[in-house]
Amino acid sequence: MTAPTHAPVLQVDALVTTFTTPDEVVRAVDDVSFVLYPGRILGIVGESGSGKSVTARSIMRMVHAPGRVESGCIMLGDRDLRNLDERAMRSVRGRDVAMIFQDPQAALNPVIKIGDQIIESLQIHGMGAKKAKARALELLSQVGIPNPEEAFERYQHQYSGGMRQRVVIAIALANNPSVLIADEPTTALDVTIQAQILELLRKLRTDLGIAILLITHDMGVVAEMCDDVLVMYKGKVVERGPTAKVLAAPEHEYTISLMNAVPRMDSPLRAPFEPSGPPALEVSDLRTDVNAGQRSVFRRKAPFYAVDGVSIAVHPGETVALVGESGCGKSTLSRTIVGIYGSAGGTIRVGGRDVTAMTPADRRHVTRGVQYVFQDPYSSLNPRRTAGQSIEEALRVAGTPASKIRERSIELMRTVGLPAEHLDRYPYAFSGGQRQRIGIARALAGKAKVLVLDEPVSALDVSIQAEILDLLMRLQAEHGLGYLFISHDLAVVREISHRVAVMYKGKIVEQGTTQEIFEAARDPYTQRLLASTPKLDVEDRP
Amino acid sequence: MADTPSFAANRRPRVKNPVLRRYLTAFRTARGIAGSVILLVLVALALLAPVLYPGGYDVQSAESLRGPSLAHPFGTDQLGRDLLTRSLFGLRIDLTIVAVAVPLGMVVGTTLGLIGALSRVAGTVLQRVLDVIIGFPGIVLGMCIILIMGPGWSALVIAITVSSLPTFGRLSRAAMLSQAQREYVMAARTLGVSRVTIITRHILPNAIDPILVAGAVFVVHAIFIEAGLSIIGLGIQPPEPSLGSLLNQGMRYITQAPTYVLGPTVVLFLLALSFSLISDSLNKAVNRA
């Protein structure tokens, strides 16, 4: 944390980027200025639509119509990138300024070997074939890929998401750029993998003295990584300064509200929950075979149990969190509970009755008490039906008399904090948070006792996330709902749950009260998860 | 979601239904406008043909096989009949065939495709049946049907409908399979909504875009199937004209009156052009969202 001693590598001054629509001109980036020094990490933080990604694309001159860089200058050394012709700009991209994106799978070509993709990026900027191969191997080992010789000959699908992101970083570093723009580089990754990639970026910064512009929505990542930070809101920089200062003592109103919305790993826990009766949902020894029903002419596919002997119970009024990384089986478990997948063993008791042994019709009747809320509010609502139609359908299926349906749907909209006149709107007219509210209203239509919430806030901005969590807690208090809350985000889980179950490879490795898990985790996997979760405390950074 | 500013937020649309509005944007593009203007003019001429030419399509005169003139812009045929008149009456027939056969094929084909959502076995069997239909060229299939039913308007309609089934059946099946995996379909399932309701209310409306576009494209095919069958004498029977049968007649006199085929060809071309412009812009409109 020393003061910059070098000359800046990149200076952006009064950058304005606009998008012209038939109705108006949107200033997506509005008078943004910053300076980037070698060996330092500058964070740009903001919510969706704040203009942070457009800022990055403007620097790379990759804003396409109807977008346009209106004014300002982008000085790379002593050259203004805005004045370069397209040819000169192409030689800047990749050689002087490199960029990595959120989704490494989309950034890599699936039919070209990893080694050849790195070599390609070297040869574009004029390196000979032999030298390029040697450099590619060096890069692969630099980004921590085991057995570079072997990796060289492999394809991206043979690697996990974290390894792919390492390859993308290797390609970005190939030509020794002086600036690396990382646009949400770890958002698509699991928290333990995220920790590894962030560690790699820090190491590269120190070893190579590269300047990194890190774009993220995650305050924890900012706290762990950045020397300085810009907070963007509606295209403007509303606050800037050293990370420690901005996070600890934000001055702008927006930054303050943002910091208040971020779930903290040191906030007070919810009061412990004392169950007063039998559980509303009780799962014992549940197994789900995801290969069931898949067979060739000659033999059945070997069973694969994505959920392997899981037991978990949810009482009315209680929030049980199910935590784990992608592929651990948490979504399969929740979908088995609501009957989207069939179970291969064990029991699911709803209100004391085992539904796995029931006929489909009986089961549908009983499981109406357990409803599902999806992660992605954009895809879980039918785009061709209004909010009202979606809610009314749920009411009709639940047996609400026709005369009561309109009245009940208005009531449900109010319950989730939406005005009744929004019933006639189509999903596209709602924001992500509003859509998730509609999803919750739909789940409540059938007088559910338990909601299975599958990552209900993961797709939302942090301020919206806080609103939805508040709504869920209020509904729980008013209606005595039990929640099975599935999440990969430990900070959110800590805020909302009474009990926590940690899932790993289809099994629950540890289960206990929120306090037990967060303060005295016994299982090594739980401990690793906790250690990987970014903390907001700048002094505590690794 | 990507960090792009939302454009639609402040707009207050006149047509509220977003689906309809999206289709309507197709008719605001240059291609869409050109296509629909040509089509409207052709339809108007076809509708007005009995008014413009109260004598009908069979008024004969001594002036046979003349080239284009002011009195006869498309010239006259071997019996001295005005070819413009016959072309417009022929267009009338073609439009009625297309207007019945293509929507019929769309409905039947889409239904066949969606049956796969109810029963996997029935779906697979139907797809194989459709594969067999694909195996026959449209003309050969049409000839078989006409040999069974005898030539005429309804045989043409059936022939065109049957040859359109694979297009719509496969498209709707593909759309159904991809929609069935969407979360809103899963959401409906977890609520306990019945399968038929899921298909009609959730899957079908979201699967309809490619089917509509394919429908507009198929209209062009349909016209050519009619023309093809009429050229070999299996379509509309004389003295009634269709664009295809006019071409069929004109071919015989190609050495004496080369301009004979010109008029019907132009009309056929304009008809095909209008639908291909419309399907093109419709395709762009539905894929823009």
Side-chain angles (χ1 to χ4, degrees), chain B residues 48 88 95 102 108 115 122 127 151 202 209 218 223 227 248 257 282:
Chain B
L48 291 175
L88 291 185
L95 283 174
V102 175
V108 177
I115 282 173
Q127 289 302 310
H202 292 281
D209 282 352
F218 200 83
I223 293 165
N248 177 26
L282 208 53

Side-chain angles (χ1 to χ4, degrees), chain A residues 260-264 267-270 465-466 469-470 473 489-498 514 518:
Chain A
N260 286 337
V262 177
R264 288 166 177 276
S267 60
L269 295 168
R270 285 183 84 170
Q465 175 177 312
L469 291 177
D470 281 347
M473 295 221 229
D489 187 336
L490 287 175
V492 169
V493 163
R494 193 176 181 281
E495 190 167 305
I496 194 167
S497 356
H498 298 109
T514 308
F518 279 84

Side-chain angles (χ1 to χ4, degrees), chain A residues 1 33 37 269 418 489:
Chain A
M1 284 259 167
S33 310
Y37 293 97
L269 295 168
L418 288 175
D489 187 336

Side-chain angles (χ1 to χ4, degrees), chain A residues 346-380:
Chain A
T347 57
I348 304 168
R349 288 177 188 280
V350 178
R353 298 168 65 189
D354 182 10
V355 298
T356 49
M358 287 183 185
T359 63
D362 279 348
R363 176 171 184 157
R364 216 176 296 151
H365 184 74
V366 175
T367 48
R368 220 160 267 160
V370 179
Q371 279 302 328
Y372 196 83
V373 175
F374 289 81
Q375 167 176 0
D376 186 355
Y378 291 91
S379 59
S380 57

